[in-house]
Amino acid sequence: MGLLDKLSDWLGLRKKEVNVLCVGLDNSGKTTIINQLKPSNHSNHLGPLSPEWKHVSQTQAQEIVPTIGYNIEKFKSSSLSFTVFDMSGQSRYRNLWEHYYKESHAIIFVIDSGDQLRMVVAKEELHNFLNHSDIRCKKIPLLFYANKMDLRDAVSSVRVSQMLCLENIKDKPWHICASNAVEGEGIKEGLDWLQGNV
Ligand code: GTP
Ligand code: MG
């Protein structure tokens, strides 16, 4: 750590660095959620989260494609500096998730509320995650987005919570919000909760 960094730490000027791991099955909407936090291409405004939240560099992607491996995005709020690891949910890349558990300070777990067929797979991945040695004893906050609430077949966030047995999570703070990542609805509520719990 440089002298200037030490001085800003001492003065309390440096933003706290927070690593957020974003996981969930493929096609659940992780990248779309994170894309919503970036400033839009068509205005000078900074995304739906301005002015408290700022994305560090790029603007919103016009087209979201399935993530290969993972992407890293950086955001700043008034007091925190976030690095978000947007992991691919495809089964062949899910073994990458665990490499980031140790250094994560918060988790975003995204569920496609319209994909009831694969809810059991999401539950299994959540179970594996919660029982991993790098997560089991850690009291990190878990934010669940019951995404795609706009779909006709979508189940409510309460139902998603029941299907994933979230009430069994007793040793970590958790929160679930319904979201529509395409329209950006419900995203800010979740992030505000996360910011208050890291
Ligand atoms: P992987 O990178 O493969 O793990 O997928 P992902 O979880 O990042 O999903 P992604 O953000 O790529 O979204 C998958 C598809 O779902 C895209 O076509 C999105 O436009 C769509 N999508 C995302 N969120 C919503 C939502 O809230 N409602 C609807 N209707 N579609 C959504
Ligand atoms: Mg993705």
Side-chain angles (χ1 to χ4, degrees):
M1 194 187 287
L3 200 59
L4 214 59
D5 289 341
K6 272 189 188 149
L7 187 64
S8 6
D9 270 357
W10 186 66
L11 293 170
L13 297 176
R14 223 149 76 112
K15 288 182 194 284
K16 200 167 134 191
E17 306 263 343
V18 178
N19 293 333
V20 180
L21 186 69
C22 185
V23 294
L25 299 189
D26 48 298
N27 199 49
S28 54
K30 300 178 291 298
T31 305
T32 312
I33 288 174
I34 293 162
N35 196 48
Q36 276 292 349
L37 310 182
K38 300 177 187 175
S40 112
N41 277 320
H42 305 298
S43 74
N44 293 324
H45 293 109
L46 289 164
L49 301 180
S50 63
E52 301 90 2
W53 289 75
K54 290 188 174 115
H55 186 255
V56 176
S57 53
Q58 308 120 313
T59 50
Q60 280 178 6
Q62 293 305 295
E63 196 192 351
I64 305 276
V65 293
T67 308
I68 307 292
Y70 65 94
N71 293 319
I72 299 179
E73 305 284 356
K74 288 182 183 284
F75 300 91
K76 282 182 197 292
S77 75
S78 50
S79 56
L80 302 173
S81 180
F82 283 90
T83 301
V84 182
F85 295 83
D86 172 19
M87 306 305 291
S88 167
Q90 291 177 53
S91 52
R92 75 185 110 152
Y93 295 119
R94 280 181 216 152
N95 58 353
L96 292 178
W97 299 1
E98 64 179 346
H99 297 291
Y100 298 88
Y101 291 167
K102 234 182 212 147
E103 59 201 89
S104 297
H105 305 110
I107 306 289
I108 297 178
F109 196 105
V110 183
I111 302 113
D112 178 346
S113 321
D115 189 358
Q116 292 183 54
L117 272 181
R118 290 207 303 162
M119 207 61 85
V120 64
V121 184
K123 184 182 175 187
E124 203 175 291
E125 290 297 351
L126 177 63
H127 180 265
N128 293 341
F129 161 78
L130 291 171
N131 286 295
H132 192 281
S133 54
D134 292 339
I135 292 292
R136 219 175 24 230
C137 305
K138 243 172 144 176
K139 283 205 180 331
I140 49 172
L142 312 177
L143 169 64
F144 295 91
Y145 279 116
N147 194 35
K148 305 200 184 182
M149 65 177 182
D150 55 298
L151 294 183
R152 210 159 50 91
D153 295 340
V155 291
S156 70
S157 58
V158 173
R159 185 74 193 113
V160 171
S161 165
Q162 286 167 347
M163 289 168 102
L164 298 183
C165 300
L166 298 188
E167 74 278 6
N168 292 343
I169 306 174
K170 309 268 192 224
D171 58 344
K172 296 173 184 40
W174 62 269
H175 182 74
I176 186 163
C177 334
S179 62
N180 170 355
V182 173
E183 298 298 331
E185 290 164 17
I187 310 292
K188 186 178 185 308
E189 183 209 321
L191 282 178
D192 285 348
W193 176 86
L194 201 65
Q195 197 180 3
N197 280 274
V198 281

